[in-house]
Amino acid sequence: MTQGYFVEERGKNVVTAAELCSDAYLQNGHGEEILEAYAENREKEHLAALAKETWYYRRAEIAQIWPGWYRKAEKNKRTSSYAEYAYVLRNDKLHVYHRGGRLFTVNRGTAAIWLKVVKELERFEKTYLYSESKMEMQYEQEKTMFSMLQGRIDEGISFESLEAELIPKDFEPLILEDYHCAEMWQMDRVSYKKPLRIKGHEVVFIAARDYGRWSVLIQLPYMRNRVLHGYTSEKRAMDALRSFIWEHQEEWERFAVVFEDVKRLLKEASGQEGFDFKAAKEKISGMYLEEPWYCASSFKPEDIIGEIYSAWRRGQERRKEERKTKE
C-alpha cells in the first residue's frame, strides 16, 4: 500500500495534516483527487475531510508531524526515510513530493493542465521513461520528466500540444525484466529468470552460467530449450537477447499467444475424458499456416502436436487405471 501525507504548511510549521494510509498514488489515487480539489478551489475542505478520516490511534503521532517527514526540509536534519508521496499546500500553491524530492508545483493558473497530465500519466511515462534499447521503464528518470513538464507548462504550453507528442493510447511496450530473480533449476548452475512482458502475455527466458559461459534458454510449456549461448558475461547474453527479440518481434508476439493456447490444450488433453485430439492437431497446424511464430527448438507445430498426443495418451492411461481401482 502506497502511503503519504496531505498537509498545509505556514512558515516552517504544519498546521493541518492528513495521513494517506493507502492509495497515495499520483494517478488513480489520492493525488489525483487532491489535484482535482485544488483545481476547483476546495482543497482546504478536502484536507479537513481527510484529516478527520485519519485513524484515531494515529492522530497523536500525526500531531508531531513536521516537513522533514515528507520532504528535504533542512540540509543537516533529515529523517532516515521519507513518505512515498506528499501533497503540500504552501503559499497558495500545491507542491507534490515523492520520497523526499519535489516532483512539480501547481498554481491556480496551471492546475487544470496538471490535472489532465496526471489523468494521462501512464502515457507520459511510456513516452518519456521507456527505453527501447533496454526494454524497460526507467522510473529513475521520473524527476527529469516532471522537471521538463514543469518548464513547458509554466511557459504556457497547452495540454493538446503536449498530448500530440505522446505515444498512441494502445501502445504496449516490450518489458524484459532483467533482474536477479534466482531460478532453482540446477544447484550447481547460476541461473536467473528473465520474463518478457509482451502484449499482455509473458514469455519466460532463463539466463544461466555453465562452465564459465552464459546461455539464454526459453521455458516452453513442456521443456526448456537453449536459444543463445557462448557469452562471457550475463550482460552480453542479455544484450544479445534484446537484439534477438527486436529482430523477431512480430514472431515473438505470436509466440506468446500460441504459448498460452498450447498450455491450455495440454491441460485439456491430460484432463478431459472426451478430448478431441484430431481437432487440436488441426488447430495447431492451421494457426501456424495462418501466422507463423518463432519456432524455438521443440516448438514447431509437429513438436507441439506430439506433446499434446503424449499428454492425451497419458491422460487416457491414467483414467483407465483409475477406473480399474474403483472396480
Side-chain angles (χ1 to χ4, degrees):
M1 298 191 301
T2 300
Q3 300 179 328
Y5 301 100
F6 180 25
V7 306
E8 180 183 2
E9 292 182 5
R10 289 179 191 165
K12 295 183 178 181
N13 301 315
V14 177
V15 295
T16 310
E19 183 180 31
L20 309 175
C21 294
S22 63
D23 297 331
Y25 303 104
L26 187 54
Q27 184 182 33
N28 297 323
H30 283 296
E32 191 171 317
E33 294 172 359
I34 291 167
L35 187 52
E36 186 171 8
Y38 179 83
E40 296 173 358
N41 293 305
R42 53 180 180 82
E43 68 279 358
K44 298 287 184 69
E45 294 86 344
H46 190 61
L47 173 56
L50 288 174
K52 287 182 180 179
E53 294 176 7
T54 298
W55 291 353
Y56 177 78
Y57 68 87
R58 289 280 292 154
R59 290 180 184 176
E61 183 177 349
I62 298 302
Q64 307 301 314
I65 191 172
W66 72 285
W69 284 24
Y70 49 80
R71 67 178 175 86
K72 298 172 183 177
E74 298 179 21
K75 289 183 178 179
N76 299 318
K77 188 178 180 182
R78 299 179 183 176
T79 56
S80 58
S81 61
Y82 299 99
E84 292 181 83
Y85 282 96
Y87 305 94
V88 181
L89 295 172
R90 186 172 66 246
N91 299 327
D92 200 37
K93 295 180 181 180
L94 176 64
H95 306 265
V96 179
Y97 294 87
H98 183 225
R99 300 189 186 281
R102 187 179 65 86
L103 287 182
F104 59 92
T105 297
V106 185
N107 60 42
R108 299 297 176 184
T110 62
I113 188 171
W114 272 113
L115 180 58
K116 292 178 180 178
V117 168
V118 168
K119 287 181 180 293
E120 291 289 340
L121 186 56
E122 188 174 358
R123 287 181 67 199
F124 279 90
E125 290 174 340
K126 288 179 179 178
T127 300
Y128 296 110
L129 304 184
Y130 178 61
S131 168
E132 283 193 356
S133 61
K134 294 186 177 181
M135 292 186 183
E136 66 179 16
M137 296 294 295
Q138 297 183 314
Y139 290 106
E140 67 275 11
Q141 300 297 322
E142 181 182 53
K143 289 184 180 179
T144 301
M145 178 189 75
F146 278 112
S147 178
M148 177 273 294
L149 291 172
Q150 179 86 71
R152 300 184 72 185
I153 290 172
D154 288 349
E155 288 173 359
I157 192 171
S158 68
F159 177 76
E160 289 71 25
S161 296
L162 288 174
E163 188 179 32
E165 299 172 0
L166 301 180
I167 48 89
K169 289 185 177 182
D170 61 352
F171 173 73
E172 288 294 334
L174 294 178
I175 301 294
L176 182 61
E177 297 186 4
D178 190 5
Y179 310 122
H180 279 172
C181 178
E183 173 68 15
M184 302 306 292
W185 179 20
Q186 296 179 1
M187 296 302 294
D188 60 343
R189 175 180 294 188
V190 177
S191 57
Y192 302 112
K193 184 179 178 181
K194 308 284 187 176
L196 171 67
R197 313 292 179 185
I198 180 169
K199 298 289 185 179
H201 299 281
E202 179 183 273
V203 177
V204 176
F205 294 99
I206 298 150
R209 187 180 66 192
D210 195 16
Y211 298 107
R213 292 284 175 171
W214 284 86
S215 301
V216 177
L217 301 96
I218 187 169
Q219 178 67 65
L220 300 178
Y222 39 79
M223 66 185 303
R224 291 173 174 175
N225 272 119
R226 184 179 295 171
V227 292
L228 298 168
H229 61 91
Y231 298 95
T232 56
S233 68
E234 180 189 0
K235 181 182 183 303
R236 290 186 177 182
M238 293 307 296
D239 287 343
L241 177 59
R242 291 184 185 92
S243 297
F244 188 48
I245 292 169
W246 278 122
E247 289 170 8
H248 303 276
Q249 181 180 349
E250 292 184 1
E251 292 178 70
W252 281 118
E253 291 175 4
R254 180 63 169 162
F255 177 95
V257 174
V258 173
F259 184 91
E260 296 298 326
D261 284 338
V262 172
K263 284 201 301 184
R264 177 180 53 79
L265 287 171
L266 286 167
K267 184 176 180 180
E268 292 175 358
S270 176
Q272 291 184 4
E273 180 75 37
F275 179 75
D276 190 340
F277 171 72
K278 183 178 179 181
K281 179 179 179 180
E282 291 174 352
K283 177 181 176 64
I284 294 297
S285 299
M287 288 171 63
Y288 188 75
L289 288 174
E290 178 184 346
E291 188 178 353
W293 56 83
Y294 173 74
C295 285
S297 176
S298 301
F299 205 63
K300 297 183 286 295
E302 56 269 26
D303 299 317
I304 297 170
I305 292 167
E307 292 293 336
I308 293 173
Y309 178 78
S310 296
W312 176 51
R313 293 295 297 166
R314 287 193 299 270
Q316 285 183 323
E317 292 299 323
R318 187 184 67 253
R319 287 186 287 272
K320 186 186 294 184
E321 290 299 321
E322 288 173 353
R323 284 193 292 266
K324 286 182 180 179
T325 302
K326 290 179 180 178
E327 292 174 358

